[in-house]
Amino acid sequence: MTGSIASRPLEGIRVVELSSFVASPLCGLTLAQLGAEVIRVDPAGGAADVHRWPLAPDGTSIYWTGLNRGKASVTLDLRSDEGQQAFRDLVTAPGDGGGILVTNSGGRAWMSHERLAGARPDVITLELLGRRDGRPGVDYTVNAALGFPAITGQVDGRGGDTPGGQVVNHALPAWDVAAGLHAALAVVSAVRDRERTGRGRRIVLPLEDVALATAGTLGYLTEPQVDGTSRPAVGNHIYGTFGTDVTTSDGGRFMIVALTTRHFHDLARLTGTREAVDALETATGADFTTEADRYSYREVLAALFARWFAARTTDEVARTLEASVVLHERYRTFGQVVSEGDLEANPLFSPVDQPGIGRYLAAAHPAMFDGTHLTTGPAPVLGADTGRLTSGGPPV
């Protein structure tokens, strides 16, 4: 079920967002979906992301509207004293749930935490940085420095501390997404603390540290500290267990994963390779009840299984896998996800009428509260709420 419920978790919270691109707007969107009033502030004409691709036929940014659904929009001349004062007034306006700023445009004295705290001592500010020392950085540059592109893509025979012959950037801005969600949690935590203590907070969240913390938690940065090695590139195999991609006779492609012994035995059964797998286990002294040995012999195991998939059509493979316990999915394009009806079948999605784009199915917050996904209305027209929310007059 998608819709509204009697009381959203963050009702009564008011957040001012001065932001662009992904992390900061995603923080605001998440808070808005959970019930906060979020006011996005842009300079005259919009920030650098206002026309970011993909675009609708009339030039409206699908990207911008997707990240700013459910928010109010204010535009101000932030180069002028009047615009800067109007911005500060908006952030520090009285009210128990107000006094909250989220931005990736910090480092400006006129909107510093200290300046805002002078007008409202309990102000909460969250500043998203690129790098922890304040230098600029974006998801793709942070990712390059971290090491993931060196282990993404096809195996090239290299390893250790030398990136492969080809490095492959991710298409998903993973660190932006993680930073946006960390930022939303940090804001909620600061609000909770203020409710208990009356104290404001200055929060700084570097994108670089989000990436490092995640990589450290998942062991990517612990391995070199423990044994001096860097994780190798393994192509589409899954490091430390058995999982790989397979191709069917008519060109379909599946990802199959055998995390447990039960998964692995069923994969051997359905591909008719159980005797060959048992013989390999005996000949090598391996124990395929362990993830370690299934991973160590991944290449030969994958070759054994691949013959069965290559001799069958995509539909045949899909039906057989569906009747098994093997974890699997067919590789698809975004277009296939839409055309095959996944959105209509999922209560996460509901129609929204977006100016400049039209009617489409938009995702709500993925968590369900009492059986309901929390959704928002469309993104605002840039500057539509300036006159209503500021003393600065009509939109600039």
Side-chain angles (χ1 to χ4, degrees):
M1 179 179 178
T2 305
S4 60
I5 58 177
S7 177
R8 295 183 181 229
L10 298 184
E11 279 188 4
I13 302 300
R14 189 191 210 208
V15 179
V16 175
E17 174 197 313
L18 179 63
S19 66
S20 57
F21 297 108
V22 179
S24 188
L26 180 60
C27 171
L29 172 63
T30 303
L31 297 172
Q33 289 173 325
L34 295 174
E37 176 190 8
V38 179
I39 304 164
R40 170 156 172 161
V41 178
D42 284 278
D49 61 345
V50 70
H51 297 303
R52 199 176 190 204
W53 285 18
L55 304 177
D58 75 345
T60 300
S61 172
I62 295 172
Y63 165 97
W64 192 94
T65 54
L67 282 166
N68 291 293
R69 287 178 288 120
K71 302 176 186 178
S73 175
V74 167
T75 52
L76 296 169
D77 179 3
L78 296 174
R79 295 183 178 182
S80 71
D81 292 341
E82 294 79 11
Q84 293 172 8
Q85 185 60 54
F87 176 81
R88 289 192 294 268
D89 290 344
L90 193 60
V91 175
T92 61
D96 290 343
I100 305 168
L101 170 65
V102 172
T103 185
N104 65 333
S105 301
R108 306 176 185 185
W110 61 266
M111 54 173 282
S112 67
H113 179 89
E114 292 74 19
R115 182 76 180 268
L116 296 170
R120 180 165 177 159
D122 69 345
V123 71
I124 295 168
T125 61
L126 185 143
E127 181 182 355
L128 282 146
L129 302 178
R131 304 180 69 171
R132 77 183 67 85
D133 60 6
R135 286 181 295 160
V138 295
D139 184 284
Y140 302 102
T141 60
V142 166
N143 193 57
L146 181 59
F148 278 98
I151 65 169
T152 304
Q154 296 305 310
V155 182
D156 70 351
R158 300 189 188 188
D161 294 326
T162 302
Q166 60 169 358
V167 292
V168 180
N169 291 332
H170 54 207
L172 171 73
W175 310 124
D176 277 337
V177 172
L181 300 177
H182 274 295
L185 179 59
V187 168
V188 172
S189 300
V191 170
R192 170 64 176 139
D193 183 63
R194 187 173 69 179
E195 290 171 346
R196 292 187 300 110
T197 67
R199 176 177 55 184
R201 288 281 191 173
R202 177 176 182 260
I203 306 167
V204 177
L205 181 63
L207 189 67
E208 177 182 33
D209 284 352
V210 169
L212 285 166
T214 304
T217 299
L218 296 179
Y220 292 96
L221 300 179
T222 309
E223 285 178 282
Q225 297 177 72
V226 172
D227 59 19
T229 64
S230 290
R231 189 169 302 185
V234 294
N236 285 337
H237 294 285
I238 300 176
Y239 182 75
T241 192
F242 185 82
T244 191
D245 61 311
V246 291
T247 305
T248 65
S249 63
D250 54 357
R253 203 176 192 95
F254 287 80
M255 183 66 190
I256 55 172
V257 181
L259 286 178
T260 69
T261 301
R262 182 170 176 242
H263 297 152
F264 184 76
H265 284 168
D266 209 24
L267 178 59
R269 176 196 61 78
L270 72 87
T271 56
T273 58
R274 185 59 190 264
E275 290 186 3
V277 169
D278 288 347
L280 174 65
E281 191 174 33
T282 300
T284 60
D287 179 1
F288 291 149
T289 66
T290 68
E291 284 190 288
D293 280 0
R294 294 197 293 269
Y295 174 73
S296 295
Y297 290 91
R298 63 191 180 278
E299 298 286 358
V300 64
L301 289 170
L304 283 174
F305 300 143
R307 295 183 64 185
W308 182 89
F309 290 96
R312 286 159 179 81
T313 67
T314 298
D315 287 343
E316 288 176 306
V317 167
R319 287 194 300 269
T320 304
L321 287 173
E322 191 62 33
S324 76
V325 299
V326 178
L327 304 171
H328 67 279
E329 281 294 351
R330 176 170 57 92
Y331 283 91
R332 297 188 295 172
T333 65
F334 294 122
Q336 287 174 314
V337 172
V338 172
S339 66
E340 293 175 11
D342 290 42
L343 277 58
E344 289 88 349
N346 191 333
L348 173 65
F349 290 87
S350 61
V352 63
D353 292 305
Q354 179 61 55
I357 293 178
R359 189 175 179 85
Y360 72 99
L361 294 174
H365 192 282
M368 287 188 290
F369 290 78
D370 300 320
T372 300
H373 287 289
L374 305 182
T375 189
T376 66
V381 173
L382 184 68
D385 303 287
T386 305
R388 176 174 67 86
L389 293 173
T390 74
S391 59
V396 296

